[in-house]
Structure formats: structure tokens, C-alpha cells
Amino acid sequence: MTDTRRRVKVYTLNEDRQWDDRGTGHVTSGYVERLKGMSLLVRAESDGSLLLESKISPNTAYQKQQDTLIVWSEAENYDLALSFQEKVGCDEIWEKICQVQGKDPSVDITQELVDESEEERFDDMSSPGLELPSCELSRLEEMAELVASSLPSPLRREKLALALENEGYIKKLLELFHMCEDLENTEGLHHLYEIVKGIFLLNRTALFEVMFSEECIMDIIGCLEYDPSLPEPRKHREFLTKTATFKEVIPILDPELKQKIHQTYRVQYIQDMVLPTPSVFEENMLSTLHSFIFFNKVEIVGMLQEDEKFLTDLFAQLTDEATEDEKRQELVNFLKEFCAFSQTLQPQNRDAFFKTLSNMGILPALEVILGMDDAQVRTAATDIFSYLVEYNPSMVREFVMQESQQNDDDILLINLIIEQMICDTDPELGGAVQLMGLLRTLVDPENMLATANKTEKTEFLGFFYKHCMHVLTAPLLANTTEDQPSKDDFQTAQLLALILELLTFCVEHHTYHIKNYIINKDILRRVLVLMSSKHAFLALCALRFMRKIIGLKDEFYNRYIMKSCLFEPVIKAFLGNGSRYNLMNSAILEMFEFIRVEDIKSLTAHVIENYWKGLEDIEYVQTFKGLKLRFEQQKERQDNPKLDSMRSILRNHRFRRDARTLEDEEEMWFNTDEDDLEDGEAMLPSGEKSKNDEDIMDPINKFMERKKLKDNEDKEVLPKSNLSGRQSPSFKLSFSSSTKANLINQSSGGALAASPGSPGSQGSPGPVAKSTPQTTAVTTKGGLVGLVDYPDDDEEEEDDESEEKDGIPPVSQKVKIGS
């Protein structure tokens, strides 16, 4: 059988509740006389033997899982599964099963999953509910077995939950718990543990309301102390009553609110500490417990938010100078937890929550707290501030701009945040990293509002650079007064790296604000002092800052860099790095390669004129030689302005020389009327064209004469190996000695090429060399083959070749490239 759609693996469930593989085969469905009904048949793919023969019973519960799995029970404790190779095959067999049972194939389960026999099912359907054993010590084991057996069946689980609710059974069980503890009946306590754990897995809100009530919750926790798998019982109640104490930083007058807080703490403790970690199968059974805690937290936040007296007292004591340090620490911790609770709220409720806090004056309160000496209080205040910034950065920006009109710079909220970042005592600067992230959010233009009446970006950035930037850069400026960092320990280096990261972000996003600041305060020169740091990560941060500036290709920045000779510390670090192939080496090379590729003329000239002697011996990359070439081409163009016009003419009249016949093009030319020529293609008389060609070639020949003298020592002829494939970065152009005569009188054989190496063309890969006395053209059987193929020049080529046929010389022709 080759049909993979019906290819399956057969599994059976063993006594250890593990699946055993019974073999691989192909499944079919059909009528089996012996079984008197439609059946599933699986024959082994190896020898065709029968792996499975199972009648599709109208009352058996079949379950489809994960699109390729069908599971069912044949008899008590005998479960079967078919795992299909393809979804299509699973769907086909599932349709057959549903057809026999009269079910819709869209369902994933054909019957209610129950374990009882037909007789028991009939009894369940007819009886009003499940009958629980009487609540006695002698029947605790029976009750534990009943709970355990009911959990796998949704129907029985439902009936058990109803019975427990209606008969008030939980309170009776807790009475037995007290009795077992008094009698030290360990076996009974173990049964109670299993019963209570099973009741949790029933996932019933009505039962949780009873279990988590004030009178029952501690006894429920007590039952869960006696885990049979542990040698000694836990002491959860002792922890909750003696160790964990409830502190009212502000008296809570509402008894319902107070009770809700106690309840939520204890239920959270049960979920996190008391109940064993649920297995994969039990995880969804505790979803109602998660929901119970969630809605309790929402209710607590709502009740506190509505209590105006409570919040007024809270903020009054927070900002009161007479409040004791310990008390203030408790108040801040409460406010932090209060904000953490708010994260569970829906967006609409969270908006109302933070609006209430804002109206109560949370930002002025934070300003006071951040100015205090207590490090723990400041840390908690930072966490609260982070909630506010993440929720609504515009609200924070508006507050700090308003307060700047009344307060000195030193006590502005953002400056307090920057100072805390700078003064972080953590060796790893964990708090500083968090604060830097908050500052980055605040100065990010992407989340700033722009309305018809005002632009938040302009106003806030103007404020920030006037009142706050000097505080942020103070450690950087203090540490770079000399040629070496005055302090180069690890913690200082980490802090400066954070500051540089934020400044780099500003360079990218703040345009003229940061540009004015960098140029006026000479920030880049101070940053580049850090290139000499012993910490490689800090030196790389300084280099990244400069790279970001150069990447903007802004001539204001470029003039500033050249005027202050700011490449010097970079090149010094590069040469000092020696032959080591590391990140510093690669990053510096990348920066100069960017200058070369982007052809930033001012920086190219500056680097070559001032630092070429130190760089000319570097040959393992072509970056600096490429910069030198750019510089020379640029200088030559400045000395010969006519080359610019020549370059454009050469570039616009390029020929493709290849091994093809021209009959078709010639015939097309001769069949074209002059009236069909496009505007601008009017032909000149031969004499005038010769004169124009002489005018054009005059500066070329002068230029080539100078090059012969200048590059006498650098003669280089393009090797034959470069005539095909990629050209060498240093290929040369060669002009024959009779260039001018050929240009005027030459027939269709010779041509002048404006190749990528032409002195007037942009992006030239190599220098121009002296011509060789003899110029050998590369030929094939069919004619000349060009070194560079220009696929878009067909029409120009056809026109000019046709002009030659009529005795009219073309406007320009290519000179052969020497070999």
C-alpha cells in the first residue's frame, strides 16, 4: 500500500499510563461480518498482518486531537489511539466514525467522555445528582476515591461539584480535619489532603467562594499541609499568622476592602506556594483560581481608587517632611504595589486609574521622594515612575515643562532621574540601565504628540536641551578634560557607555537640537578621549557615536570634525590596535569604507591630506587606497573644470563592442527617414564635428600628458586575466599615442571608452595610468569585445555606427582599453 493518507501508528495505553507503539500500518473502514458492524482495520505495512480490528460502536466516545490523532476506549482500562501521517487521512476516518454514530464531523468528540458502563450511565442520567458518602472518619478513604474517580469525567465532575455545594460538605470536611488533627490521625489527614486538592481541580467558582471565606480558608490551607508524599507536614498556617504580617500604612476603614486584601494575599499564597505545580493535564483545571485572584485585584484597585480620603492621606504623608523614614518607605512600597496591581486592569480602567493618581499629585510626590537620601525609597519611586512613563510619557513631559517655570534646574523631576542614574551604587548599574530606558522613552520623538496648536517635540526638546542635557553630560565632560580619561574603572566606564548610548540615540532622532549642542560644547572631541580607555566596550561606544554623526552626511558636522582634527584619536587607536583582527579594527575600517563608498569629498580630502602617511602601508584592505584614489580624482577634476563636461559627454556616448553582425541595424538605419529622427538628434557637418572633437579632446590629451609625468613610477598594465570577470580595483586606462588623430579620422574599428575607470566618471575603481606604446584590442572571431557591457546603449550604438556608414564621423568614439 502506497497511500500515505491512511498511514497510521497504533498505540495502546499501558498500566503506567504510558502509550505503547503497536506498529505502523494502513487503516481502512468497512463492514466486518464477524463483528456485525462497520469496523476500523489496520494492517501492518511490513507483512500485511492485522494490527487492529475495532468495531465502531454507536456509544463509544471517539476524540479527535491535534488534527492527526483519534483516541477512544475499547473497554475498561484499555485505551487506543491512531496517529495519522496526514491530516487528510485522519479527516476521512473521522467522517466514517461520525457517519456510523450519526454525528456532525465538525465535532472533536462524538460522545461525552465518561468511564461508566451503560447501566451506570443510565443511572446517572435518571438520578438527580451524585450521592456522597456520609462525612465520617471511617469513610474518608471512600470519599477520596470518589473524588479521584470523578475528575476524569466532565459529567461526574459536574455532579460532584453540585453535591458538594448543596450539602455544605466542605464545612463538614473541615470539622473532620480538626478532629483528625486532635487525634493525630495521619492517615485521615492524608485522605483530606487528596480530597481538598481534588476539590480545587473541580475548577468551580461557587466552591472557591466557600473555601476562601474568612472562616474556612485557614483550615483549607491546613488540609494542604499534609501531603502524603512528604515526610513531614508543611507549616503554611504558621507562616501566614506569625511571619507574614499585614501593615496598614494608611488605616483602611472599609472592612470589606480589608477582608478582600487578606483573602487575595492568602489565595495567591495557596496558588504559588501550597498547591503542587500542576501537570500539563491539570493546568487548565486551575483557570478559575487564576480568574478569582485576577478579579479580586481589580476589585481592590477599584475600591481604593474610589476612597478619596485614603489617597489624599497617602500623598500627604508621602510628601510631608515630618514623616519618619520607615513610614515613608512603607508608603512608597504600598504605592508601588498599588501600581503593580493596576497592570491587571483593562485599558479603559487603567486609564482612569492613572488619571486619578495624576489628579492626586503623584508626580510632585515622586519628585519629593527622589530627592531623599534613602536608597530603597528612591528605588521604589523609580519603579513607580516607570509605570507612569510606560503608560503615558506625554503626561510626564507636560508636568516637567510646567514645573520648569517655577523651580530651579537642580530639582526638576527629569534631572533627579538623571542624577539617580549617575549615582547608582549597584556595580552592574541595574538601576541606571532602567532609568536610561525611561529617559530614552521620554526623549523619543516617535511617541510625541503633534497637534494643530502645538508641537510637543519642539517644545519638549527645547526644554530638555536647555535644562537637562548639561546634567546628563556632566560625568562625560568631567572625565575627559585631559587626553586620557581621568577615571577608567569599570563602573565609571559602564556609566559613560550608558550616557553615550543615549547621546547616540539623540544624534539619530533630534537633528538640529543635538547638532547645536555637540558643536557648541565640543562634545565629539570629549567623547573621542574615551577611545583611549582600557575598556574596549567604552572605546567602541565612542566610535559608534562618531560613526552615527558621519552617517548623517551633514556638512556642518563634517566641517566641525575637520576643523577640530577629530579623526586623529580614531586613527591613533586604529594604528595602536596593530595587526589584531578584532571588533575595534573592523568598526574603524567600516567607518572609513563608508566615507569612501558614499564619496564624502570633504572628509576624504581631510583624511588623505592629514593622515595618509600613517595609512599608506595598510594593504590588507583596499579602503585607504580607495580613499586616496577618490582624493586624486577629485583634485584632478578641480584642476581641470573642462573634465566635468567631457565626463558627461563620454558617459552619454558609450559603445558596446561585441562579436555580432550589424546588418540588421544598418538596414534599419538606411530605411529610416530623417523626419523620423527624434528632436535633438540633428547631425552636424563633418567639418564642424571634427572641430568639436578637437575641442573636446584637447583637455583629455593635456590631462594624459600630466598623468604620464606624474605616474611614471606607477605604470601598470591591466593583466589579461582581468579581461573577463570582475575587474581589478586598480585597472588602468591606456590611450594609444595617436589618440587624437584616431578620434578625428578613425574608421569603425577604434572607439573611446568612458569606462568605470575614466578620470571623469564617478565611482572609478582605480587610478589612471600611462598609456602603452602599442595598444592591443581584445578580439574575437566576430569583432571587438568590450571589457564592460552596457546593455542600455543599443540605440546610441546603432545610430553612431550608421553615421559612420554615411561618412559622418560620430560625436565621440571609444579608445581601446589596453591589455
Side-chain angles (χ1 to χ4, degrees):
M1 295 185 184
T2 58
D3 188 2
T4 58
R5 292 185 308 168
R6 298 291 185 89
R7 192 165 184 264
V8 296
K9 277 186 177 290
V10 180
Y11 292 93
T12 59
L13 197 66
N14 62 27
E15 294 179 356
D16 298 327
R17 308 298 292 172
Q18 301 293 323
W19 290 101
D20 293 332
D21 186 352
R22 294 299 184 185
T24 303
H26 291 80
V27 62
T28 58
S29 62
Y31 185 83
V32 176
E33 184 65 33
R34 184 176 61 81
L35 298 176
K36 304 293 182 185
M38 291 292 291
S39 304
L40 297 176
L41 303 171
V42 180
R43 294 192 177 276
E45 65 179 359
S46 56
D47 55 8
S49 60
L50 196 64
L51 292 177
L52 176 68
E53 186 181 61
S54 173
K55 180 181 177 182
I56 303 175
S57 170
N59 299 314
T60 299
Y62 290 86
Q63 192 172 8
K64 186 169 75 164
Q65 301 174 1
Q66 302 172 6
D67 293 333
T68 56
L69 200 63
I70 296 177
V71 183
W72 73 97
S73 296
E74 287 275 297
E76 189 174 358
N77 295 328
Y78 186 63
D79 292 353
L80 286 160
L82 292 180
S83 178
F84 288 76
Q85 181 173 327
E86 295 185 13
K87 178 181 183 296
V88 177
C90 183
D91 291 341
E92 289 176 357
I93 295 300
W94 184 251
E95 285 180 14
K96 296 287 186 185
I97 294 170
C98 292
Q99 186 179 344
V100 172
Q101 295 199 343
K103 301 289 184 182
D104 185 348
S106 63
V107 301
D108 289 333
I109 182 169
T110 61
Q111 307 285 336
E112 189 67 56
L113 281 178
V114 291
D115 299 330
E116 302 83 23
S117 64
E118 290 297 314
E119 186 177 348
E120 288 172 325
R121 181 181 289 115
F122 179 77
D123 290 343
D124 278 347
M125 296 300 292
S126 58
S127 63
L130 193 68
E131 186 177 345
L132 300 175
S134 57
C135 201
E136 300 172 2
L137 284 176
S138 58
R139 304 194 69 178
L140 281 176
E141 184 175 2
E142 184 183 345
M143 181 62 187
E145 290 174 357
L146 175 65
V147 172
S149 64
S150 299
L151 289 175
S153 164
L155 180 63
R156 289 179 64 83
R157 208 161 58 235
E158 184 72 18
K159 289 184 178 296
L160 175 59
L162 287 170
L164 290 170
E165 287 176 40
N166 296 334
E167 298 181 23
Y169 208 82
I170 292 176
K171 292 184 178 180
K172 295 176 184 177
L173 285 173
L174 296 178
E175 291 175 7
L176 287 182
F177 168 70
H178 287 294
M179 198 180 299
C180 287
E181 275 205 317
D182 293 340
L183 298 173
E184 297 184 357
N185 183 346
T186 306
E187 186 179 355
L189 291 169
H190 287 169
H191 290 318
L192 282 165
Y193 171 88
E194 298 292 350
I195 292 167
V196 171
K197 179 189 169 188
I199 293 173
F200 269 99
L201 296 177
L202 291 176
N203 212 23
R204 187 87 170 185
T205 306
L207 295 178
F208 289 157
E209 294 287 355
V210 176
M211 295 163 71
F212 301 150
S213 63
E214 188 72 26
E215 56 182 318
C216 296
I217 189 166
M218 294 305 288
D219 290 337
I220 291 292
I221 293 170
C223 291
L224 293 171
E225 290 179 350
Y226 294 94
D227 186 346
S229 63
L230 300 175
E232 293 291 331
R234 299 288 190 186
K235 296 184 178 180
H236 298 303
R237 287 171 294 174
E238 183 180 329
F239 173 82
L240 289 171
T241 54
K242 295 181 180 178
T243 307
T245 56
F246 177 64
K247 291 183 179 179
E248 287 185 76
V249 291
I250 301 288
I252 297 174
L253 304 178
D254 186 348
E256 185 184 353
L257 174 58
K258 191 182 293 186
Q259 189 273 329
K260 189 70 69 177
I261 293 171
H262 283 300
Q263 183 190 59
T264 305
Y265 175 78
R266 290 166 181 169
V267 176
Q268 186 89 54
Y269 182 84
I270 291 172
Q271 182 191 42
D272 296 340
M273 304 299 299
V274 180
L275 284 177
T277 304
S279 66
V280 175
F281 303 104
E282 294 174 335
E283 194 163 354
N284 289 334
M285 292 183 174
L286 292 173
S287 60
T288 307
L289 183 61
H290 297 303
S291 300
F292 186 92
I293 296 170
F294 171 81
F295 287 114
N296 261 20
K297 288 182 176 180
V298 171
E299 205 172 334
I300 289 169
V301 171
M303 294 169 78
L304 285 172
Q305 195 175 325
E306 292 168 6
D307 191 343
E308 289 188 8
K309 185 179 185 309
F310 178 86
L311 291 177
T312 305
D313 291 348
L314 172 66
F315 286 108
Q317 292 191 36
L318 267 176
T319 54
D320 188 355
E321 294 182 1
T323 304
E324 295 179 2
D325 292 345
E326 187 177 348
K327 175 75 170 177
R328 183 175 282 106
Q329 186 175 337
E330 292 173 356
L331 290 165
V332 174
N333 286 334
F334 169 81
L335 188 56
K336 174 185 168 183
E337 193 169 352
F338 191 32
C339 291
F341 267 38
S342 72
Q343 300 305 103
T344 62
L345 298 175
Q346 296 298 317
Q348 186 177 356
N349 295 333
R350 191 158 62 245
D351 287 349
F353 171 78
F354 281 111
K355 197 171 288 184
T356 301
L357 291 186
S358 178
N359 294 336
M360 298 300 299
I362 189 168
L363 286 168
L366 286 178
E367 199 169 41
V368 173
I369 298 165
L370 287 168
M372 295 178 178
D373 296 332
D374 193 322
Q376 288 184 324
V377 168
R378 289 202 310 269
T379 303
T382 303
D383 292 335
I384 297 168
F385 185 69
S386 69
Y387 286 122
L388 295 170
V389 171
E390 288 167 14
Y391 160 69
N392 190 348
S394 290
M395 178 181 77
V396 178
R397 284 192 283 260
E398 187 177 357
F399 169 77
V400 296
M401 283 192 289
Q402 288 175 353
E403 68 163 352
S404 66
Q405 301 170 5
Q406 305 166 358
N407 298 335
D408 296 334
D409 287 357
D410 294 343
I411 58 172
L412 293 180
L413 179 59
I414 290 191
N415 287 344
L416 292 172
I417 293 292
I418 294 172
E419 286 171 10
Q420 182 155 344
M421 180 182 88
I422 293 169
C423 301
D424 190 4
T425 55
D426 179 10
E428 297 297 325
L429 295 185
V433 172
Q434 179 190 10
L435 290 167
M436 196 276 291
L438 297 177
L439 288 171
R440 182 169 173 160
T441 303
L442 287 172
V443 300
D444 187 356
E446 294 297 321
N447 60 45
M448 293 184 185
L449 303 174
T451 61
N453 298 328
K454 67 169 188 175
T455 304
E456 185 182 13
K457 176 180 176 181
T458 304
E459 291 183 3
F460 180 75
L461 293 182
F463 156 80
F464 182 79
Y465 280 88
K466 182 179 180 182
H467 298 281
C468 307
M469 185 57 95
H470 67 279
V471 182
L472 178 66
T473 56
L476 171 68
L477 298 176
N479 208 40
T480 53
T481 53
E482 306 294 335
D483 292 339
Q484 296 284 331
S486 54
K487 287 180 67 178
D488 205 18
D489 58 281
F490 178 71
Q491 191 165 349
T492 303
Q494 271 197 310
L495 175 62
L496 294 178
L498 283 176
I499 294 171
L500 282 178
E501 186 178 339
L502 189 56
L503 289 176
T504 305
F505 177 84
C506 294
V507 167
E508 186 175 3
H509 292 88
H510 291 176
T511 58
Y512 66 90
H513 287 95
I514 187 70
K515 185 184 348 181
N516 291 337
Y517 190 81
I518 289 173
I519 294 174
N520 292 335
K521 301 292 184 182
D522 200 13
I523 294 295
L524 181 56
R525 185 180 65 80
R526 305 294 283 272
V527 167
L528 291 175
V529 171
L530 302 176
M531 290 290 293
S532 58
S533 169
K534 67 181 180 183
H535 301 284
F537 70 89
L538 181 57
L540 287 167
C541 282
L543 182 63
R544 189 186 307 122
F545 180 71
M546 184 177 188
R547 172 65 177 82
K548 188 66 72 175
I549 290 175
I550 290 174
L552 297 175
K553 297 191 285 189
D554 186 319
E555 279 304 310
F556 282 100
Y557 277 131
N558 294 347
R559 284 197 292 271
Y560 163 61
I561 290 170
M562 293 184 293
K563 182 180 178 182
S564 304
C565 297
L566 296 180
F567 277 110
E568 186 173 329
V570 177
I571 291 174
K572 183 179 178 182
F574 177 69
L575 297 175
N577 191 59
S579 59
R580 283 175 290 182
Y581 181 54
N582 53 19
L583 193 55
M584 177 65 73
N585 175 276
S586 299
I588 294 175
L589 285 176
E590 189 278 334
M591 185 170 76
F592 284 110
E593 183 68 11
F594 176 83
I595 294 171
R596 185 190 71 80
V597 170
E598 295 296 326
D599 196 13
I600 305 176
K601 296 178 175 56
S602 55
L603 296 183
T604 301
H606 175 74
V607 170
I608 297 303
E609 287 173 352
N610 293 279
Y611 308 108
W612 174 243
K613 288 186 178 179
L615 302 171
E616 61 181 339
D617 295 333
I618 295 169
E619 297 182 347
Y620 60 91
V621 289
Q622 296 301 309
T623 297
F624 299 109
K625 292 190 183 301
L627 277 174
K628 181 77 177 337
L629 174 62
R630 291 276 196 202
F631 172 69
E632 290 177 350
Q633 291 172 341
Q634 178 185 334
K635 193 171 181 182
E636 285 155 3
R637 283 196 293 271
Q638 290 172 353
D639 295 341
N640 300 277
K642 289 185 178 180
L643 284 178
D644 284 338
S645 58
M646 178 274 295
R647 182 182 70 244
S648 62
I649 294 172
L650 292 179
R651 188 168 59 244
N652 292 329
H653 294 274
R654 295 175 295 192
F655 283 78
R656 172 163 53 191
R657 300 173 293 166
D658 56 8
R660 67 184 182 192
T661 58
L662 303 176
E663 286 84 3
D664 293 337
E665 289 86 347
E666 289 171 350
E667 186 174 349
M668 224 156 85
W669 171 259
F670 288 120
N671 290 335
T672 304
D673 293 331
E674 288 187 4
D675 295 335
D676 295 334
L677 291 173
E678 297 178 3
D679 293 341
E681 292 187 357
M683 294 181 288
L684 296 172
S686 177
E688 290 185 29
K689 294 191 74 67
S690 299
K691 183 180 178 181
N692 288 345
D693 284 345
E694 289 179 4
D695 291 340
I696 291 168
M697 292 312 302
D698 186 51
I700 296 179
N701 285 309
K702 289 180 180 178
F703 159 68
M704 292 310 302
E705 290 299 325
R706 283 197 306 275
K707 285 302 297 178
K708 287 177 186 178
L709 295 173
K710 184 175 181 181
D711 297 335
N712 209 20
E713 297 177 359
D714 297 329
K715 291 182 184 178
E716 184 176 333
V717 178
L718 179 68
K720 289 185 179 180
S721 60
N722 284 341
L723 291 177
S724 61
R726 186 174 178 183
Q727 294 171 338
S728 167
S730 57
F731 78 83
K732 316 296 184 205
L733 277 180
S734 297
F735 289 81
S736 68
S737 58
S738 58
T739 300
K740 185 172 180 180
N742 285 343
L743 283 171
I744 307 303
N745 304 312
Q746 197 176 31
S747 64
S748 60
L752 172 64
S755 75
S758 300
S761 66
Q762 292 183 351
S764 314
V768 180
K770 173 184 173 184
S771 64
T772 56
Q774 293 181 338
T775 305
T776 305
V778 183
T779 62
T780 65
K781 190 174 182 180
L784 290 169
V785 178
L787 287 182
V788 183
D789 195 17
Y790 299 100
D792 57 344
D793 290 342
D794 293 349
E795 186 177 342
E796 294 175 348
E797 177 182 357
E798 289 165 9
D799 292 349
D800 287 339
E801 286 175 349
S802 300
E803 286 177 351
E804 283 188 342
K805 293 285 183 181
D806 283 339
I808 301 172
V811 175
S812 63
Q813 294 192 355
K814 298 180 181 179
V815 172
K816 294 177 289 183
I817 297 179
S819 61

